Amino acid sequence: MKKSESTGKKSKERKLKLKIMPVAVALAFIVLWQLAVDIFDIEAFILPGPVNILRSLYKERELLLSHALVTLGEAFAGFGIAVVAGICFGLLMGFCEPVRIALYPIFVVSQTIPLIVLAPLFAVWFGFGFLPKVIIIVLVCFFPIAVTFAQDLLKVDEDMDFMLRVMGAGRWKSFVLARIPKALPGLFSGLKIAATYSIMGAVISEWVGAKKGLGIFMTRAMTSFRTAALFADVVLIVVLSLGLYKLIELIEKKIINHADI
Amino acid sequence: MDCKIRITGLNMDYTGSEEGESSLRVLSDVNLEVFENEFVSLLGPSGCGKSTLLRLIAGLEHDYEGEILLGGINPRHKRVPVCYMLQKDCLMPWRSMLSNVLLPIEIKKGDLKKAREEIKPLVQEFGLSGFENYRPRQLSGGMRQRAALLRTYLMDGEIMLLDEPFGSLDEITRMQMQDWLISVWEKHRKTVLFVTHDIDEAIYLSDRVVVLSDRPGTVNGVVQIDFERPRKRDMILTPQFSEYKKDILSLLASFPAW
Ligand SMILES: Nc1ncnc2c1ncn2[C@@H]1O[C@H](COP(=O)(O)OP(=O)(O)OP(=O)(O)O)[C@@H](O)[C@H]1O
Ligand SMILES: [Mg+2]
């Protein structure tokens, strides 16, 4: 008993250490950055210091927020559609061999088309509004979801299959009872990747042209040499991506217990 | 007495997955009969095709020559429900012990609520009460095995096929499980075909021990075990037990002439 208690304590300490170490390194980096900017007197339009960036973040907060809401709206819409479509196609490819054989290579090849090339094309077709952004986000997010899910669905545990068949379960029943639960961790790792892609996809598609959004804010800040504002924008993008990632992680923890897979 | 399992002239090859690869003969001219309420052990060296034979009887593979009849029905043509326990326990790690055990009823679309009440005494008897909501990983090896056995018991079939259910357990747990299985079986009586490569286990539990040869597996001989029931541990120490053991060992050593 005593032993397990002490090891439990140790593992807790270790976990804390694992969390603190990267934060400490990041903080050290930020401090160094600020010092370097101050000591070498670097011009703010070339490299603003962290303090400067924070100040800019605060000063532009209302403008940034209104832009962020537009970007978030696009990201949510695109991600939402991609989740539904990705899960459907993942299931389809995992269950029907012919569908998988027909679609899988196409999906993989489609990933070699760089998103940045598509953005102007969609701008030509659909203008600078909401729709082309959503389409791009759907395209970026769909692939990791559908493919990671399908891959895990295709892993066969032959003995489990045998046992279920003896109990009289058909193909679909085995799929639902054994394959899907087993593939859920794969699905969630795809969802987490897609979540971070969604904000990035929105920003990149806004570069090409948009009325509002963090991407257009970024290009404006850049062309007017407001480098601190540009950094503030980047910080916000990072925070949003991380937030979305954490949200998915939270849902994952609610739904599956990883010790059980 | 009814013949529950009748196997005649069974040959089975595993064809290589790649073209041109030669096929592997796993079972060769197997003949076997198991009667109602009989406990028969299948004993043979590793890789001789014991698991394969059970898979064929369970109707999971149909690519063989010869005939298998289960209570007169050919499982090639019609699914015959059997209770089957694989070598691996195949418990689903994301389900609780109880919902794992109730899986056969869930699949049959039976009344789960009623079943949950009804199997309470069985859960008790299988030494699992109090652990209903535990996940498989939270159970000991012996308990996992018992849970898998209870699940097997709830598959409604008249024939029980058990593939080395205690193979993965340590000596002490295995002996406890044997004692427990034999007491449960002597009470409930079902037709059992029990695969093992533990000679003592086979003698202690069975009415008859069928000895298979090295691959390709064929029946080298059958040893009738005439110990009275209920079986007792100290039978292991009797000269008669050694006699049975000697018979089995000599059957294991006598490979069929080419
Ligand atoms: N799906 C398969 N495809 C090809 N060969 C197989 C397959 N399953 C089993 N075999 C081969 O058939 C032979 C018999 O296998 P089987 O699992 O029936 O042996 P076993 O008697 O149960 O052995 P053990 O006591 O180790 O469990 C082995 O040589 C094995 O390599
Ligand atoms: Mg085996």
Side-chain angles (χ1 to χ4, degrees), chain A residues 158, chain B residues 14-15 24-26 44-53 55 61 87 163-164 195-197 212 215:
Chain A
E158 205 176 32
Chain B
Y14 271 118
T15 41
L24 179 76
R25 173 138 294 200
V26 179
S46 184
C48 74
K50 304 182 294 292
S51 298
T52 307
L53 183 58
R55 272 203 295 281
E61 283 170 59
Q87 210 161 339
D163 196 347
E164 294 189 42
V195 168
T196 177
H197 40 216
L212 293 180
R215 196 186 61 230

Side-chain angles (χ1 to χ4, degrees), chain A residues 157 159-160 162-169 173 177-178 181-182 257 259-261, chain B residues 55 60 79 82 84 86 88 90 92-95 103-104 106-107 135 137 151 155:
Chain A
D157 181 344
D159 285 331
M160 189 72 91
F162 277 157
M163 187 200 64
L164 287 165
R165 260 171 66 198
V166 169
M167 292 197 260
K173 201 98 199 220
L177 284 172
K182 222 173 166 177
N257 182 352
D260 286 343
I261 299 287
Chain B
R55 272 203 295 281
L60 290 167
R79 196 180 91 86
V82 292
Y84 180 27
L86 285 88
K88 285 202 303 188
C90 288
M92 295 179 174
W94 55 87
R95 284 176 168 244
L103 202 58
E106 190 179 327
I107 289 174
R135 297 294 157 104
R137 75 188 146 82
R151 182 187 59 195
M155 306 179 191

Side-chain angles (χ1 to χ4, degrees), chain B:
Chain B
M1 264 203 290
D2 272 356
C3 183
K4 282 286 166 190
I5 306 174
R6 172 170 283 135
I7 299 172
T8 33
L10 183 74
N11 291 315
M12 160 88 187
D13 300 294
Y14 271 118
T15 41
S17 48
E18 268 149 62
E19 221 170 306
E21 210 174 298
S22 64
S23 63
L24 179 76
R25 173 138 294 200
V26 179
L27 294 167
S28 142
D29 193 29
V30 174
N31 296 288
L32 178 69
E33 283 180 337
V34 181
F35 296 96
E36 188 166 14
N37 295 339
E38 201 180 17
F39 196 119
V40 174
S41 281
L42 215 51
L43 190 77
S46 184
C48 74
K50 304 182 294 292
S51 298
T52 307
L53 183 58
L54 250 54
R55 272 203 295 281
L56 297 185
I57 297 171
L60 290 167
E61 283 170 59
H62 300 287
D63 209 5
Y64 57 83
E65 291 165 24
E67 194 178 49
I68 297 175
L69 290 177
L70 303 179
I73 303 168
N74 189 333
R76 251 188 185 143
H77 305 137
K78 187 168 172 275
R79 196 180 91 86
V80 183
V82 292
C83 303
Y84 180 27
M85 178 164 163
L86 285 88
Q87 210 161 339
K88 285 202 303 188
D89 63 35
C90 288
L91 295 170
M92 295 179 174
W94 55 87
R95 284 176 168 244
S96 70
M97 184 278 284
L98 193 66
S99 72
N100 261 298
V101 162
L102 289 171
L103 202 58
I105 291 156
E106 190 179 327
I107 289 174
K108 266 184 303 184
K109 297 206 171 70
D111 187 345
L112 276 175
K113 239 187 196 153
K114 213 175 87 194
R116 211 163 278 156
E117 283 305 310
E118 279 173 0
I119 69 160
K120 268 193 182 145
L122 275 172
V123 172
Q124 175 86 36
E125 193 177 342
F126 277 64
L128 292 165
S129 55
F131 293 89
E132 285 84 350
N133 295 320
Y134 279 53
R135 297 294 157 104
R137 75 188 146 82
Q138 298 169 313
L139 302 174
S140 74
M143 292 170 95
R144 289 170 65 107
Q145 241 34 42
R146 285 199 297 267
L149 264 172
L150 179 53
R151 182 187 59 195
T152 309
Y153 185 82
L154 293 179
M155 306 179 191
D156 58 353
E158 292 173 25
I159 300 164
M160 250 190 160
L161 306 170
L162 305 178
D163 196 347
E164 294 189 42
F166 310 142
S168 59
L169 302 177
D170 63 275
E171 189 70 32
I172 297 171
T173 317
R174 181 161 48 204
M175 287 202 305
Q176 286 170 349
M177 293 289 291
Q178 289 162 358
D179 290 338
W180 167 82
L181 176 70
I182 203 73
S183 68
V184 171
W185 180 78
E186 276 162 3
K187 205 167 117 199
H188 295 277
R189 288 275 169 165
K190 265 195 182 200
T191 310
V192 176
L193 189 57
F194 184 96
V195 168
T196 177
H197 40 216
D198 182 328
I199 299 175
D200 288 1
E201 180 171 88
I203 300 172
Y204 180 52
L205 297 175
S206 326
D207 299 316
R208 280 190 299 142
V209 179
V210 175
V211 181
L212 293 180
S213 69
D214 224 336
R215 196 186 61 230
T218 188
V219 177
N220 267 357
V222 180
V223 178
Q224 179 90 29
I225 313 290
D226 287 323
F227 283 127
E228 63 190 35
R229 293 192 184 268
R231 296 272 162 97
K232 299 203 179 55
R233 262 289 150 199
D234 52 20
M235 288 169 177
I236 289 186
L237 304 170
T238 60
Q240 172 126 47
F241 195 93
S242 310
E243 204 56 39
Y244 288 140
K245 201 162 172 174
K246 216 167 84 191
D247 291 348
I248 291 172
L249 280 170
S250 69
L251 281 173
L252 274 172
S254 70
F255 295 95
W258 320 107

